[in-house]
Amino acid sequence: MPRSRGYRKKTRSLLTKDSNDEQGISYLLRNYNVNDKVVIKINPSVVKGMPHRRYHGKVGVVEKVMKRALLVNVKVGDKTKKIIARLEHVKPLSA
């Protein structure tokens, strides 16, 4: 059986921060409501509550708002997955 190479394998370019991608603290103060559309954008400097890399860039719908995290429904293929992601890893979909 081949060995597993870990949860973050092959993420060198995916999980690196851009030098011009400055972000303040206001993203933690944003209020989300049920049925809001959000984009899962992984912040690599925060490991806690990080969704799997296959969901990076996916658009989902907020199902439940918790204290520090969101339960997001993401459509992958013909299935709907429930992803728990902290507020650091989501941003609202700008329509």
Side-chain angles (χ1 to χ4, degrees), residues 65-81:
V65 179
M66 295 175 266
K67 187 174 181 180
R68 292 186 180 96
L70 299 174
L71 182 65
V72 181
N73 287 333
V74 178
K75 191 162 174 89
V76 179
D78 53 351
K79 292 183 179 181
T80 302
K81 301 282 190 171

Side-chain angles (χ1 to χ4, degrees), residues 33-79:
N33 298 318
V34 178
N35 294 329
D36 283 351
K37 287 194 174 185
V38 293
V39 177
I40 296 177
K41 185 178 180 211
I42 297 174
N43 184 355
S45 63
V46 181
V47 180
K48 191 179 246 187
M50 183 184 290
H52 194 269
R53 66 184 180 93
R54 81 171 57 99
Y55 302 111
H56 183 76
K58 301 283 188 200
V59 177
V61 179
V62 176
E63 179 181 324
K64 183 178 179 184
V65 179
M66 295 175 266
K67 187 174 181 180
R68 292 186 180 96
L70 299 174
L71 182 65
V72 181
N73 287 333
V74 178
K75 191 162 174 89
V76 179
D78 53 351
K79 292 183 179 181

